[in-house]
Amino acid sequence: DLILSVSNFTKEEAIAHSKPKRIRVLYNAVDIEKFRPAGSIGKKEDTVITVASGLGDVIKLKGLDVFLKAAELLPHAEFIILGLTNENKQALKNMILSRNVKLCGYIDQKELLTYYQKARVYCQLSYRESFGLATAEAMACGCVPVVTDRGALPEVVGDAGFYVPYGDENETAEGIKEALRSKKGEMARNRIEEKFSIQKRERELIRSIKSLYVER
């Protein structure tokens, strides 16, 4: 009787393809006690990371080819891609043109957290995202986000990061350069605390369920 959408973007898509009787946005949430900076956000390393797991054409969908080209333009920073399948890892190896790139396969959440806490910048260069949970997790750890202005990513990032056009390596490199020298890590953390905590999702979920009884 009630569809809960994880973003306004997915809500609009659902309405465009169906006629739901009731639909409401209930954002995904981050455990802000688990995903948090390890120390001072200002002391993070000049490391740029992205997470890209999944099947299909992940390289194009997540903008990993652009990520690699941006790495070539910024040789003094370290670029890391996490969560790759063996197939995608091999395909990306053939595309690497600079020595500042590291490719990683599947890692558990504990190890992922250490990368979030180390990196100064998190990139989500996707063609589309229904929410962008990895972006939110990285922001909770004080990473400055650099994202495309597509899907639900603007809903997650707000004014706490930098936006780049999908598929544009030069603009992406400029956005990453700005993020590396920016002071938005604290702002990113605060945004997740305020808008995407588990506690807030719990309250909204209870409110949504109770509304069904009222509407009856």
Side-chain angles (χ1 to χ4, degrees):
D1 290 335
L2 174 64
I3 295 175
L4 297 175
S5 172
V6 297
S7 63
N8 281 303
F9 171 71
T10 53
K11 177 183 175 182
E12 290 168 7
E13 286 213 322
I15 292 171
H17 293 91
S18 62
K19 294 181 179 179
K21 183 178 179 181
R22 298 183 185 90
I23 185 166
R24 192 170 291 179
V25 174
L26 180 67
Y27 285 117
N28 284 324
V30 175
D31 184 345
I32 57 175
E33 296 305 316
K34 176 180 179 180
F35 291 96
R36 60 185 307 115
S40 171
I41 291 176
K43 293 183 178 179
K44 280 172 165 272
E45 300 176 17
D46 281 347
T47 300
V48 184
I49 64 172
T50 190
V51 176
S53 59
L55 302 174
D57 193 4
V58 171
I59 292 174
K60 285 292 184 183
L61 181 62
K62 300 292 185 181
L64 303 183
D65 50 342
V66 176
F67 188 81
L68 295 182
K69 290 173 184 175
E72 187 182 359
L73 296 170
L74 299 170
H76 300 299
E78 181 184 27
F79 285 69
I80 304 173
I81 304 177
L82 305 164
L84 294 166
T85 63
N86 289 333
E87 182 181 0
N88 286 323
K89 194 173 178 181
Q90 187 56 50
L92 288 170
K93 279 182 180 178
N94 300 328
M95 299 168 63
I96 294 176
L97 297 175
S98 53
R99 301 178 66 179
N100 59 329
V101 176
K102 180 180 177 182
L103 305 178
C104 298
Y106 171 80
I107 57 175
D108 60 29
Q109 280 216 334
K110 185 177 180 181
E111 191 176 359
L112 177 61
L113 177 59
T114 63
Y115 278 102
Y116 286 151
Q117 292 172 335
K118 167 187 173 182
R120 193 179 304 279
V121 174
Y122 180 85
C123 286
Q124 197 68 65
L125 308 177
S126 305
Y127 177 77
R128 60 184 285 137
E129 288 286 344
S130 60
F131 180 79
L133 188 58
T135 303
E137 290 172 348
M139 290 171 65
C141 295
C143 295
V144 180
V146 175
V147 301
T148 52
D149 55 353
R150 288 172 170 255
L153 289 171
E155 296 177 57
V156 176
V157 173
D159 60 356
F162 297 88
Y163 294 92
V164 297
Y166 171 76
D168 189 324
E169 64 263 30
N170 292 308
E171 288 294 325
T172 297
E174 284 300 313
I176 293 171
K177 190 188 298 183
E178 285 189 60
L180 284 168
R181 59 179 180 232
S182 82
K183 304 296 183 183
K184 287 193 172 186
E186 195 71 48
M187 187 186 299
R189 166 72 184 178
N190 290 341
R191 181 170 176 83
I192 301 305
E193 284 183 335
E194 292 169 9
K195 295 188 174 294
F196 306 107
S197 70
I198 286 176
Q199 293 79 9
K200 182 170 184 179
R201 179 178 167 86
E202 180 182 296
R203 290 193 300 271
E204 293 297 325
L205 179 58
I206 292 170
R207 187 180 303 168
S208 296
I209 294 170
K210 285 183 176 179
S211 72
L212 293 176
Y213 293 94
V214 173
E215 290 176 17
R216 284 175 188 274

